[in-house]
Amino acid sequence: LVREKLPYEKTPQQKELRKKLFDEIDDNASGKVSLAEMDAAVRLKWNLEGIATKNAIDAAFHASKKIQKSEKSSDDYIEFREFRYFLEQLRRYIEIDVAFKKIDEDGSNKLSLEEFEESYDDNLAKFLGGVDAKTAFAECDKDGGGQIRFREFVEWALEKNIEIDVDDDAS
């Protein structure tokens, strides 16, 4: 579902879809869209309400601003040349957000060591070079606060290049 709705691949067909989506969001044809416009489009127009959270949309929006920055770019808007990267990052952030929520059993929006350890499996340990859950937790808990916040989890997953494939049919 998510991958189908977010045309981020570098093909002519996907570029055409991106242009159409961008133009739908850019109502005033200014060539740029704000975070609020993007949020409304992603959650309401693209029917990703409940899948794409504000955390994921905000993180992808700001990540897309770090690429191809020109002197006339604004941190408040995404231009079409940044849009493909936004969509690609949004897919990753949604998948990371889904994984985070599965681990966050108490719904606190923070991961405890106990929650992290329960979700830490052999495949992830092997992928991370055989480190144990406590070591991985400490790496992820950048501020040393004893809990992993969503932003820390995202940065860690991206840094480790962890691909999380959300099984849309599982729910």
Side-chain angles (χ1 to χ4, degrees):
L1 174 71
V2 173
R3 290 175 189 254
E4 291 171 12
K5 290 187 181 260
L6 303 177
Y8 59 87
E9 294 175 4
K10 295 180 180 180
T11 66
Q13 296 85 1
Q14 295 250 313
K15 184 173 184 177
E16 190 177 314
L17 284 171
R18 277 194 301 280
K19 183 67 175 142
K20 183 179 176 198
L21 287 174
F22 189 85
D23 289 346
E24 286 175 8
I25 302 166
D26 184 19
D27 291 335
N28 62 359
S30 66
K32 53 190 179 182
V33 295
S34 69
L35 175 58
E37 291 170 312
M38 194 64 74
D39 180 71
V42 169
R43 293 183 316 111
L44 304 175
K45 285 185 181 180
W46 301 348
N47 296 318
L48 291 175
E49 182 75 48
I51 298 171
T53 64
K54 284 196 177 284
N55 276 343
I57 296 166
D58 182 67
F61 186 91
H62 289 95
S64 70
K65 298 308 304 166
K66 293 179 182 175
I67 59 124
Q68 297 183 353
K69 188 131 175 115
S70 70
E71 291 178 23
K72 58 184 179 175
S73 285
S74 166
D75 285 341
D76 298 330
Y77 299 95
I78 287 181
E79 298 172 19
F80 181 72
R81 62 187 169 76
E82 300 162 318
F83 190 53
R84 188 196 69 77
Y85 189 74
F86 167 79
L87 295 172
E88 182 176 26
Q89 292 307 301
L90 181 59
R91 175 197 55 87
R92 292 199 69 200
Y93 284 114
I94 288 170
E95 291 171 349
I96 292 168
D97 188 49
V98 168
F100 185 87
K101 286 178 179 170
K102 284 181 181 177
I103 299 168
D104 183 22
E105 293 175 359
D106 66 4
S108 65
N109 216 22
K110 296 176 185 170
L111 303 181
S112 67
L113 176 58
E114 182 180 310
E115 288 171 322
F116 191 80
E117 284 178 322
E118 287 176 16
S119 69
Y120 199 80
D121 64 17
D122 291 338
N123 290 332
L124 185 55
K126 190 183 298 183
F127 180 81
L128 294 173
V131 299
D132 63 277
K134 284 184 181 165
T135 302
F137 183 89
E139 285 179 15
C140 192
D141 182 19
K142 300 261 192 238
D143 67 5
Q147 294 183 316
I148 299 170
R149 293 173 291 114
F150 177 72
R151 182 72 78 186
E152 290 173 314
F153 187 75
V154 166
E155 289 172 6
W156 176 77
L158 294 175
E159 179 184 299
K160 297 294 184 184
N161 201 26
I162 297 172
E163 263 311 305
I164 301 167
D165 189 18
V166 176
D167 183 0
D168 296 310
D169 295 330
S171 17

